């Protein structure tokens, strides 16, 4: 990520003082942060003069002292910054230009608290300046809402979680003892304002979860540091003993940012980039080798081509078929998931039915590269595999089943990212937590699962998936694995490998490639089905995985999204809706197109019978200008997808 920062710092010493009030306004002036330092540190947030959160608390509990309890102010510094940076893997914009106002409050107890207020939200972090290591027992993150919101939460009964639960939707006024805690991100919705809560620059520290046991309040909770492990099969371990602290870390460091995106329009959530803005910038000196793109995936469809002259399965002939498919549609990668190796514990011995090195050579001749699946436990026990895979010519790794986010596991993610980058391999984390800035620091981390995705079959309802652009995907790349060519409405849905099916219509599945963001975007279905549905496949495989510009045309949380994205001089649009209404109509203004150009449009819409037969779709074409508008109709659980290419003058 190339970055330019114009930073102004205005500092003044206050001596040692007790009891101070501070105010920081957003650059546009409609978001206000009020900070109070007395016997504790508290802050309130106002949007357009209305209090949104009041008397939120922040503290860091160390073994010997609580930073933020009876604090003594040493000095303050106010900050202003205008920033330009170009993300190495741009999922929304190829250039971010933004500004913020901030304050750094230094305390006598060898710590500081830094706040930044952007136009779209605010963030804060602790900074410590202590000798040696410190043990963090806990961290106080308390949010007190002035009014009741609807909280959209992914609840989990324990810290051992793959972040694959459906969203629950609770009134914050109904929060009570016994509620399950929630993963991040969390979205709070009201008629006046929306608050998206997440974290960034997560490093050498556990991920934060949120407790929802008090009315109109949320508080941070964290997994303890694991000390002893026991066997638990081929892909995980049991935690036998935990420390009485959540992290043991350097006493001189920046802690993770806690951020709030605050919007009055649902559409603005879809262009959230605070995770990127707050992350450690790209640390890789060279990313020329890094190529985001699409990947054909065999696991979801059971490696089961048909109408072929070989016995299908996790074998050499089937993988050659996948490679041929990828080559036919200029897909840069295929993934070899569980089954490519003889065992899940040995990453060096392929399945005897596969000549892996012959497949690597076969793929290379066809301009396709191979990605290999591994369990995290096998990676941990064989960390030299990254060097070996580079020697073999492997492009990247899909690492699975972490299912934890304590400090040890957060550090595992970063060790993997660094070692993989050293050997020019990209990483796709499955069984993972949400993005929290590592993918910016190490852009070879192209995607994370951490989502209830298509592999979950009937659990991946359109009702749940319509929240993903506003919550999970709003904080970073998401490996949902779209692309089903067998499409069904819920009342007739049945899906089992090898005939895996997707909920929603064909046009809905096609639109997901535009709506959902991932640096590595999987095509989940069987190549035989893609060959059969060639005109749909031609569209899907031309959709980029990185973007220069994003424009939200219409959006309502959990109900519908209509979005346009640009790559070069070509625009793509995607629209998806849930199943609440039989049809939804949208008027799309094409003013996002270049006024000087005439565009050739190709679109895919729900067919007249798609409300009953999900595979029904209609392809349209024509020429359009930016002064025109289109009326599109989506059936329940339906979609619409289009590409606009400028015509040669």
């Amino acid at each position: 990520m190339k970055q330019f920062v114009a930073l102004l710092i205005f500092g003044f010493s206050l001596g040692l003082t007790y009891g101070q009030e501070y105010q920081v306004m957003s650059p546009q002036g409609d978001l206000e942060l009020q900070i109070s330092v007395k016997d504790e540190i508290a802050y309130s947030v106002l949007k357009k003069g209305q209090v949104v959160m009041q008397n939120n608390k922040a503290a860091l509990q160390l073994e010997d002292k609580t930073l933020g309890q009876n604090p003594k102010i040493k000095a303050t510094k106010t900050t202003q910054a205008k920033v330009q940076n170009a993300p190495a893997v741009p999922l929304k914009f190829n250039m971010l230009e933004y500004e913020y106002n901030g304050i750094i409050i230094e305390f006598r107890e060898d710590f500081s608290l830094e706040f930044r207020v952007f136009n779209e939200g605010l963030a804060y972090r602790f900074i410590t300046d202590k000798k040696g290591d410190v043990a963090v027992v806990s961290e106080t993150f308390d949010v007190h809402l002035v009014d009741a919101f609807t909280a959209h939460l992914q609840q989990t009964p324990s810290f051992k979680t793959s972040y694959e639960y459906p969203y629950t939707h609770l009134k914050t006024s109904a929060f009570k003892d016994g509620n399950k805690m929630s993963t991040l991100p969390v979205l709070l919705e009201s008629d006046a304002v929306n608050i998206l809560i997440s974290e960034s620059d997560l490093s050498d520290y556990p991920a934060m979860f949120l407790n929802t046991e008090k009315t109109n309040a949320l508080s941070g909770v964290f997994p303890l540091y694991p000390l002893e492990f026991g066997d638990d099969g081929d892909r995980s371990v049991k935690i036998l003993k935990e420390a009485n602290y959540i992290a043991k870390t350097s006493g001189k460091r920046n802690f993770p940012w806690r951020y709030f995106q605050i919007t009055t329009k649902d559409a603005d959530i879809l262009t959230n980039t605070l995770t990127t803005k707050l992350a450690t910038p790209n640390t890789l000196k060279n990313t020329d080798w890094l190529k985001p793109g699409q990947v054909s995936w065999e696991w979801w469809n059971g490696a089961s081509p048909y109408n072929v002259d070989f016995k299908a399965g996790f074998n050499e002939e089937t993988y050659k078929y996948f490679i041929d498919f990828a080559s036919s549609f200029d897909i840069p990668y295929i993934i070899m998931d569980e089954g490519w190796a003889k065992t899940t514990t040995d990453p060096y011995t392929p399945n005897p039915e596969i000549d892996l090195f012959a497949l690597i050579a076969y793929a290379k001749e066809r301009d396709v590269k191979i990605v290999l699946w591994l369990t995290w436990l096998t990676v941990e026990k064989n960390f030299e595999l990254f060097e070996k895979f580079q020697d073999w010519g492997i492009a990247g790794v899909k690492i699975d089943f972490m299912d934890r986010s304590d400090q040890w596991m957060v550090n595992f993610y970063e060790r993997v990212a660094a070692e993989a980058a050293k050997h020019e391999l990209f990483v796709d984390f499955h069984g993972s937590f949400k993005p929290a800035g590592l993918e910016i620091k190490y852009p070879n981390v192209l995607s994370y699962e951490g989502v209830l995705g298509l592999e979950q079959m009937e659990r991946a309802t359109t009702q749940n998936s319509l929240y993903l652009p506003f919550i999970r995907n709003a904080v970073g790349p998401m490996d949902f694995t779209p692309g089903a060519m067998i499409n069904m409405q819920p009342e007739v849905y049945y899906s089992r490998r090898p005939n895996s099916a997707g909920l929603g219509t064909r046009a809905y599945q096609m639109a997901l490639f535009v709506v959902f963001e991932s640096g590595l975007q999987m095509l989940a279905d069987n190549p035989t089905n893609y060959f059969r549905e060639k005109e749909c496949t031609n569209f899907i495989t031309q959709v980029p995985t990185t973007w220069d510009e994003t424009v939200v045309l219409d959006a309502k949380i959990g109900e519908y999204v209509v979005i346009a994205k640009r790559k070069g001089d070509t625009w793509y649009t995607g629209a998806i809706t849930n199943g609440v209404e039989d049809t939804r109509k949208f008027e799309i203004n094409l003013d996002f197109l270049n006024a000087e150009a005439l565009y050739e449009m190709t679109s895919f819409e729900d067919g007249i019978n798609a409300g009953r037969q999900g595979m029904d779709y209609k392809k349209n074409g024509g020429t359009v200008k930016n002064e025109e508008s289109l009326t599109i109709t989506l059936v329940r659980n339906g979609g619409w997808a289009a590409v606009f290419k400028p015509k040669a003058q």
Side-chain angles (χ1 to χ4, degrees), residues 82-209:
K82 291 188 177 181
V83 183
Q84 287 184 331
N85 63 43
V89 180
L91 297 182
K92 292 181 172 72
F93 304 97
N94 63 2
M95 180 63 71
L96 296 178
E97 298 185 23
Y98 58 95
E99 54 187 323
Y100 64 82
N101 297 325
I103 188 169
I104 302 172
I105 308 173
E106 298 180 11
F107 296 92
R108 182 180 181 182
E109 297 85 358
D110 297 325
F111 80 99
S112 302
L113 200 58
E114 180 178 6
F115 290 88
R116 293 180 184 176
V117 183
F118 303 81
N119 289 325
E120 72 270 35
L122 67 135
Y124 76 86
R125 67 176 174 185
F126 282 90
I127 303 168
T128 54
D129 187 24
K130 295 182 175 293
K131 295 179 180 179
D133 288 344
V134 296
V136 181
V137 176
S138 188
E139 178 184 340
T140 298
F141 173 86
D142 283 345
V143 175
H144 302 282
L145 303 168
V146 174
D147 297 313
F149 284 73
T150 298
H152 305 291
L153 307 155
Q154 191 181 69
Q155 294 179 298
T156 175
S158 74
F159 289 118
K160 184 175 176 59
T161 176
S162 59
Y163 287 62
E164 292 181 332
Y165 291 101
Y167 290 114
T168 52
H169 314 281
L170 302 175
K171 293 292 185 183
T172 59
S173 57
F175 284 177
K176 59 185 179 181
D177 288 345
N179 276 359
K180 295 177 183 177
M181 63 183 170
S182 172
T183 65
L184 288 180
V186 163
L187 178 62
L188 306 174
E189 178 187 8
S190 75
D191 291 337
V193 69
N194 304 310
I195 307 172
L196 180 70
I197 304 175
S198 199
E199 60 186 343
S200 187
D201 207 22
L202 178 65
S203 180
D204 197 30
Y205 201 76
M208 184 167 69
F209 293 69

Side-chain angles (χ1 to χ4, degrees), residues 24-64:
V24 184
M25 302 294 294
S26 63
Q28 289 180 350
D30 65 348
L31 187 62
E32 179 181 351
L33 171 68
Q34 298 176 350
I35 307 165
S36 172
V37 180
K38 295 180 181 176
D39 57 345
E40 57 188 356
I41 301 170
Y43 62 96
S44 300
V45 180
L46 294 79
K47 179 71 171 179
K48 296 183 177 179
Q50 299 298 310
V51 178
V52 178
M53 296 177 282
Q54 191 167 44
N55 208 32
N56 293 355
K57 303 295 195 304
L60 200 63
Q61 291 85 38
L62 307 183
E63 282 184 314
D64 60 344

Side-chain angles (χ1 to χ4, degrees), residues 362-406:
Y362 185 85
K364 185 177 181 180
E365 291 172 356
R366 289 152 181 79
D367 201 23
V368 176
K369 293 184 177 180
I370 290 173
V371 181
L372 295 179
W373 173 93
L374 300 150
T375 70
W376 76 267
L377 190 56
T378 294
V379 173
E380 177 61 17
K381 291 180 176 180
N382 299 274
F383 227 71
E384 69 281 359
L385 64 80
F386 297 101
E387 181 178 7
K388 186 69 69 175
F389 283 7
Q390 183 185 31
D391 292 342
W392 290 357
I394 298 301
V397 288
K398 173 184 174 182
I399 301 177
D400 210 347
F401 293 108
M402 286 75 68
D403 295 345
R404 286 173 26 220
S405 51
D406 50 62

Side-chain angles (χ1 to χ4, degrees), residues 411-608:
N411 289 347
F412 169 81
Y413 279 67
E414 187 153 352
R415 287 190 291 117
V416 165
E419 190 67 15
K422 180 180 174 182
H423 297 288
E424 298 189 352
L425 296 171
F426 63 72
V427 183
D428 179 23
F429 286 116
H430 267 232
S432 67
F433 54 73
K434 83 290 175 192
L438 181 66
E439 66 286 354
I440 308 304
K441 186 176 182 180
Y442 291 97
N444 61 311
V445 177
L446 288 182
S447 199
Y448 304 73
E449 190 184 25
V451 63
L452 201 170
L454 197 66
E455 71 174 37
Q456 298 293 332
M457 305 296 185
E458 64 272 8
R459 294 182 65 228
T461 66
T462 59
Q463 196 69 26
N464 191 75
S465 296
L466 256 296
Y467 285 93
L468 297 177
F470 301 93
I471 309 175
R472 168 60 184 82
N473 215 180
V475 304
M478 179 182 76
D479 195 358
F480 180 86
T481 68
M485 291 290 105
I486 301 175
N487 315 103
M488 299 181 187
Q489 291 288 357
E491 66 273 13
V492 296
Y493 183 79
Y494 181 84
S495 177
R496 293 293 180 271
R497 293 191 299 168
N499 296 315
S500 302
L503 280 161
T505 68
R506 172 67 57 79
Y508 167 88
Q509 280 290 325
M510 295 174 68
L512 294 184
F513 284 86
V514 181
V515 176
F516 287 171
E517 299 168 2
S518 179
L520 187 72
Q521 190 70 277
M522 292 201 190
L523 278 77
D525 213 331
N526 193 326
T528 305
N529 292 342
Y530 287 127
F531 280 125
R532 185 191 67 212
E533 305 288 348
K534 190 173 181 180
E535 66 179 9
C536 295
T537 307
N538 282 334
F539 175 84
I540 287 172
T541 55
Q542 70 175 295
V543 177
T545 59
T546 59
W547 301 96
D548 296 331
E549 185 179 357
T550 298
V551 178
V552 182
L553 305 177
D554 203 352
K556 186 171 178 58
I557 293 171
E559 295 190 24
Y560 54 81
V561 170
V562 187
I563 201 164
K565 299 181 179 181
R566 179 178 63 82
K567 184 73 169 183
D569 57 5
T570 300
W571 284 87
Y572 296 80
T573 56
I576 56 174
T577 188
N578 62 12
V580 174
E581 297 184 12
D582 287 342
T583 60
R584 277 195 167 105
K585 289 184 181 291
F586 299 93
E587 188 81 11
I588 297 178
N589 193 319
L590 300 181
D591 58 0
F592 56 86
L593 299 175
N594 186 338
E596 306 300 320
L598 183 66
Y599 288 82
E600 188 72 41
M601 182 191 75
T602 302
S603 66
F604 293 80
E605 64 182 44
D606 293 323
I608 193 170

Side-chain angles (χ1 to χ4, degrees), residues 243-254:
N244 61 357
Y245 52 80
I246 64 173
K248 184 163 280 188
T249 187
S250 171
K252 294 181 182 292
R253 63 162 295 177
N254 299 328

